[in-house]
Amino acid sequence: MLVVIGLLGAVTVMSRDVCTADCPAAQTKIASAIPPTPAPAATDISPRDGAREVDPLGPVTVTATAGRLTAVTMVNEAGVSVPGVMTPDDTVWKPTVPLGYGRFYTLTVTAEGTDGRPATHNSSFSTLTPRNQTKAYLTTTAGTPIREGGSYGIGMVVVAHFDEPIVDRAAAERRLKVKTWPPVQGSWYWLDDQNAHWRPQRYFAAGTEVTASANIYGAPLGGGLYGQEDSTVTFTIGDAHVSVADDTTKQVSVYENGVLVRTMPTSMGMGGTETIGGQTISFWTQPGVYSVLDKANPVIMDSSTYGLPINSRLGYRETIKYATRISTDGIYLHQLDSTVWAQGNTNVSHGCLNLNAENAKWFYEFSQPGDIVEVRNTGGEPLEVWQNGDWSVPWDRWLAGSALS
């Protein structure tokens, strides 16, 4: 009985592995053993043949829907080749560079089907021609290009200056980027239709690396205007220079990385106004947070450039040494020997901050674009953003100046 039972058990176990041709496993094995039917090559090319007004940043792809790609060439109307890349399985090809505006492109595609036979297809299309284009220049608030690899002060403001008025500010701002290391919070503020300014909420930390980009190529910016080309620049933030000009003491206190390094007597704006030809000219040094724009030695200062005739009671034209400019309308810290008697006790200037020769030279050599100069306790109207008063704008109002707010 024991032997019989064992044999029956063995028979039962063996029967579980038996499968006829009708079971699913057998059908799968049979199907996999049958080679696929050879098929001719088939491709899909986008954009379609004959397409016009194609976005130069739009997708251009060649796909083998049957078989594989063996060669793809793309040339413009001048016969210049467009480089591209193929996927490892030879089924998809794409160009690796942006296309140009107003160009005519021809694709020649060679593919091989699973039947082993080659096939060649040609396709052509043209890209759009903008009615107008604009370039974005990445500059300081002085309007000078930001130097690649340059060093700037902790109050550095990035300006994207467009050479055409922007209709769709939001579309343009989406293409403007500022990346920092370490990361800081910042935002764009549109001064007008051609100038967007970017700054962080607080002064940069010394040593911060900043990369600004205007990735506008191919972007529609409203009213038929398109971006002409991309721009990018990287710079670093130097030592923290903050100068505080206090009209109460009539001293300029200069700090480097939080340490007081120099105190300079000064004579600031005499105050008051004068109206000439319907224009009111102020002689105050306006209170606010300025930043260093640039410097020159010497610079010719001419009162007629802001409406005050040279031959008028307060007019002047002088050659001035060691002049460090902090406002777009002509406020400088500069040498003026004739007011040394007043420096530290009396305001007699037209608005500039007068210094003696030694202090003016030292400050000139010490300063870099983007350094902060705070003017406190003076009269007159507060500094405006267009005068280089970006840092005088409260953060909530700065955020409201973004087209994406």
Side-chain angles (χ1 to χ4, degrees), residues 65-316:
T65 56
R68 66 185 185 90
L69 302 173
T70 56
V72 177
T73 61
M74 182 176 179
V75 297
N76 65 19
E77 72 284 355
V80 177
S81 295
V82 177
V85 63
M86 188 89 74
T87 56
D89 61 358
D90 294 333
T91 59
V92 179
W93 180 94
K94 295 180 180 181
T96 55
V97 296
L99 306 185
Y101 289 126
R103 292 289 193 177
F104 183 84
Y105 293 98
T106 299
L107 284 152
T108 301
V109 179
T110 302
E112 182 182 87
T114 55
D115 58 5
R117 299 173 60 185
T120 300
H121 304 279
N122 294 315
S123 182
S124 299
F125 65 90
S126 58
T127 55
L128 63 87
T129 301
R131 286 189 296 173
N132 196 10
Q133 298 178 44
T134 184
K135 183 176 179 179
Y137 298 86
L138 299 172
T139 76
T140 69
T141 50
T144 56
I146 299 173
R147 302 186 317 275
E148 178 65 30
S151 179
Y152 293 88
I154 61 171
M156 174 64 173
V157 173
V158 175
V159 177
H161 170 69
F162 296 89
D163 58 10
E164 295 285 343
I166 300 301
V167 176
D168 190 342
R169 293 185 182 183
E173 190 173 326
R174 290 188 188 97
R175 299 287 184 141
L176 302 177
K177 305 294 181 184
V178 177
K179 295 182 179 179
T180 67
W181 183 258
V184 299
Q185 181 184 7
S187 181
W188 292 95
Y189 177 100
W190 286 83
L191 192 64
D192 51 41
D193 287 341
Q194 290 183 249
N195 296 282
H197 292 202
W198 187 97
R199 70 164 174 89
Q201 182 177 4
R202 299 176 180 86
Y203 301 149
F204 285 106
T208 301
E209 183 175 289
V210 185
T211 298
S213 303
N215 302 315
I216 63 170
Y217 177 74
L221 304 177
L225 182 69
Y226 280 77
Q228 180 176 330
E229 62 182 65
D230 294 340
S231 304
T232 188
V233 65
T234 297
F235 60 93
T236 57
I237 301 300
D239 288 332
H241 295 172
V242 176
S243 300
V244 179
D246 192 335
D247 196 26
T248 301
T249 61
K250 295 179 174 53
Q251 303 286 323
V252 181
S253 301
V254 184
Y255 297 84
E256 183 174 35
N257 299 320
V259 178
L260 179 65
V261 294
R262 199 173 186 94
T263 300
M264 307 182 299
T266 188
S267 178
M268 292 191 268
M270 68 183 77
T273 61
E274 186 154 322
T275 301
I276 298 177
Q279 178 184 356
T280 300
I281 300 169
S282 170
F283 300 112
W284 293 101
T285 305
Q286 293 169 260
V289 182
Y290 300 70
S291 63
V292 171
L293 294 173
D294 48 36
K295 50 190 178 180
N297 180 39
V299 63
I300 296 175
M301 295 190 178
D302 187 336
S303 64
S304 65
T305 59
Y306 60 87
L308 185 63
I310 296 173
N311 58 1
S312 64
R313 179 176 67 88
L314 294 173
Y316 60 88

Side-chain angles (χ1 to χ4, degrees), residues 8-97:
L8 289 173
V11 171
T12 303
V13 171
M14 290 175 60
S15 69
R16 292 174 186 169
D17 293 332
V18 174
C19 181
T20 67
D22 294 331
C23 75
Q27 290 174 347
T28 300
K29 290 181 180 179
I30 294 170
S32 62
I34 301 173
T37 303
T43 58
D44 179 72
I45 302 174
S46 178
R48 61 177 175 76
D49 186 30
R52 302 174 61 185
E53 296 292 307
V54 171
D55 180 351
L57 293 183
V60 176
T61 57
V62 179
T63 304
T65 56
R68 66 185 185 90
L69 302 173
T70 56
V72 177
T73 61
M74 182 176 179
V75 297
N76 65 19
E77 72 284 355
V80 177
S81 295
V82 177
V85 63
M86 188 89 74
T87 56
D89 61 358
D90 294 333
T91 59
V92 179
W93 180 94
K94 295 180 180 181
T96 55
V97 296

